[in-house]
């Protein structure tokens, strides 16, 4: 699969994570759920030995095989995951202009079953919501996000997804209200279940929403509150640095970038340094969510 195709198919069914402003890392579904690359090695090997037509034929055979298994065992999760992977790879062979809602619908079907069978794994429901949003089913997407947040109000992927959905509907006040309510309930949530709510991450996301609406003073205030809450957390520091950079205040942003790079775990340092020099992209605040893992 070519890189351009990989990029857009990941946008169809994606997992958003890693780091606000530094560059959103998106990985295909199967890798996200299994903590392994999405058949990257197999794809590379197949590319060298099979033509596009042969690869498509092989994937179609796999789909039929998994469908036969599921006719006998509708809840066979190995078959459901295999079917999902094969259908995603078939979808990735199409150009974006060729994809129809029916093509995404066949991905939604196994996702719905996996989400139902694994209610404790919110990744499935998040991916289901994102897929439904892609076909224009905004209410279905919102329902999927709410189903997660009702039981896991601190789930960052669901929060980010719901916020992105609300912003796409031109409802920034609803997004801000959701995040403010989440923060209001954070202390109780962490009392009931310690560590269930990453308060700093939610604050950064709230600041990102303000920044996306050009409410720079409000965004800066939220970032400052997050920095005060945990001075060793690099995320609000880099968020404020990017906010200053977006306003053309590069001299003020530089020491914050340096501080964030010093605080950040090794895997984020290069991204922060790159963000310090890269040109600003439109609305970076609405595009990503902070990493769920706090720096040690």
């Amino acid at each position: 699969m070519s890189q351009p195709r990989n990029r857009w198919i990941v946008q169809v069914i994606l997992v958003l994570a890693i780091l606000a402003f530094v560059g959103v890392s998106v990985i295909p579904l199967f890798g996200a759920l299994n903590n392994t690359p999405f058949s990257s090695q197999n794809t590379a090997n197949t590319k060298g030995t099979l033509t596009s037509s042969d690869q498509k034929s092989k994937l179609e055979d796999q789909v039929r095989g998994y469908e036969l298994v599921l006719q006998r065992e509708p809840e066979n999760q190995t078959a459901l995951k295999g079917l999902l992977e094969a259908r995603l790879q078939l979808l990735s062979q199409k150009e974006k202009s060729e994809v129809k809602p029916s093509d995404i619908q066949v991905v939604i079907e196994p996702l719905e079953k996996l989400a139902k069978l694994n209610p404790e794994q919110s990744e499935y429901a998040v991916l289901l919501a994102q897929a439904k949003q892609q076909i224009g089913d905004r209410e279905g997407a919102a329902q999927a996000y709410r189903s997660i947040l009702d039981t896991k109000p601190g789930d960052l992927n669901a929060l980010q997804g719901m916020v992105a959905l609300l912003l796409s509907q031109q409802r920034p006040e609803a997004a801000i209200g959701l995040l403010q309510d989440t923060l209001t309930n954070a202390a109780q949530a962490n009392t009931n279940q310690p560590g269930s709510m990453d308060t700093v991450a939610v604050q950064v996301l709230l600041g990102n929403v303000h920044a996306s609406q050009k409410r720079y003073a409000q965004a800066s205030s939220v970032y400052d509150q997050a920095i005060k809450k945990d001075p060793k957390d690099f995320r609000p520091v880099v968020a404020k640095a990017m906010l200053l950079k977006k306003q053309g205040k590069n001299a003020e942003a530089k020491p914050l970038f340096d501080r964030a790079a010093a605080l950040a775990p090794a895997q984020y340092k290069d991204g922060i340094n790159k963000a310090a020099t890269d040109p600003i992209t439109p609305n970076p605040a609405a595009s990503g969510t902070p990493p769920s893992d706090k720096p040690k």
Side-chain angles (χ1 to χ4, degrees), residues 100-121:
K100 302 175 182 178
S102 58
D103 295 320
I104 300 176
Q105 186 62 49
V106 298
V107 173
I108 288 176
E109 291 168 2
L111 267 175
E112 287 178 326
K113 292 182 180 179
L114 286 165
K116 185 177 180 180
L117 291 168
N118 299 276
E120 74 288 351
Q121 295 183 31

Side-chain angles (χ1 to χ4, degrees), residues 36-291:
T36 57
F38 180 55
S39 300
S40 58
Q41 187 62 46
N42 291 338
T43 301
N45 292 340
T46 301
K47 185 177 180 182
T49 58
L50 296 177
T51 66
S52 177
S53 177
D54 289 340
Q55 188 177 4
K56 180 180 178 182
S57 178
K58 182 178 179 180
L59 289 168
E60 288 172 342
D61 287 342
Q62 290 178 3
V63 166
R64 285 189 289 270
Y66 289 126
E67 287 174 339
L68 287 173
V69 173
L70 290 168
Q71 286 177 12
R72 302 189 302 270
E73 305 172 52
E75 296 187 353
N76 185 313
Q77 295 199 49
T78 299
L80 284 169
K81 291 177 184 179
L83 177 63
L84 185 58
E85 178 178 5
R87 284 179 172 172
L88 280 171
Q89 290 197 47
L90 279 171
L91 192 56
S92 73
Q93 291 189 338
K94 294 189 176 185
E95 298 295 341
K96 186 174 182 179
S97 60
E98 299 173 346
V99 175
K100 302 175 182 178
S102 58
D103 295 320
I104 300 176
Q105 186 62 49
V106 298
V107 173
I108 288 176
E109 291 168 2
L111 267 175
E112 287 178 326
K113 292 182 180 179
L114 286 165
K116 185 177 180 180
L117 291 168
N118 299 276
E120 74 288 351
Q121 295 183 31
S122 61
E123 294 91 342
Y124 289 112
V126 169
L127 295 167
L128 175 61
Q130 291 166 342
K132 287 189 173 185
Q133 188 174 351
Q134 287 292 327
I135 63 171
D137 183 6
R138 291 181 173 180
E139 181 51 41
Q143 184 177 350
Y145 287 130
R146 285 194 292 265
S147 71
I148 303 168
L149 295 173
D150 284 345
T151 56
K152 297 181 178 180
D155 188 292
L156 286 177
N157 284 327
L159 273 174
Q160 191 277 337
M162 190 66 181
V163 165
L165 177 62
L166 291 169
L167 290 178
S168 74
Q169 296 174 313
Q170 305 301 314
R171 298 175 61 196
E173 297 307 323
I176 290 168
L178 169 65
L179 294 170
Q180 288 176 333
D181 289 345
T182 302
L183 289 169
T184 298
N185 298 323
Q188 186 61 51
N190 282 327
T191 298
N192 295 339
Q193 186 178 352
S196 62
M197 185 82 70
D198 186 346
T199 306
V200 171
V202 180
Q203 287 177 307
V204 172
L205 185 53
L206 175 59
N208 294 354
V209 176
H210 282 305
S212 74
Q213 303 303 305
K214 301 185 186 300
R215 300 172 182 175
Y216 299 137
Q218 293 96 319
S220 182
S221 175
V222 174
Y223 295 145
D224 285 341
Q225 292 171 32
I227 292 169
K228 183 178 180 180
K229 182 175 182 62
D230 188 350
K232 294 183 178 180
D233 195 323
F234 73 100
R235 296 171 296 178
V237 179
V238 74
K240 185 170 182 180
M242 284 302 297
L243 180 69
L244 291 168
K245 181 179 176 182
K246 185 177 181 180
Q247 297 173 82
K249 300 177 180 179
N250 294 332
E252 295 177 49
K254 187 180 185 309
L256 288 176
F257 278 121
D258 293 342
R259 178 181 168 189
L263 290 171
Q267 67 265 37
Y268 300 123
K269 293 183 185 295
D270 288 345
I272 293 170
N273 291 330
K274 188 172 186 295
T277 56
D278 278 355
I280 290 290
T281 55
N283 287 338
S287 66
T289 177

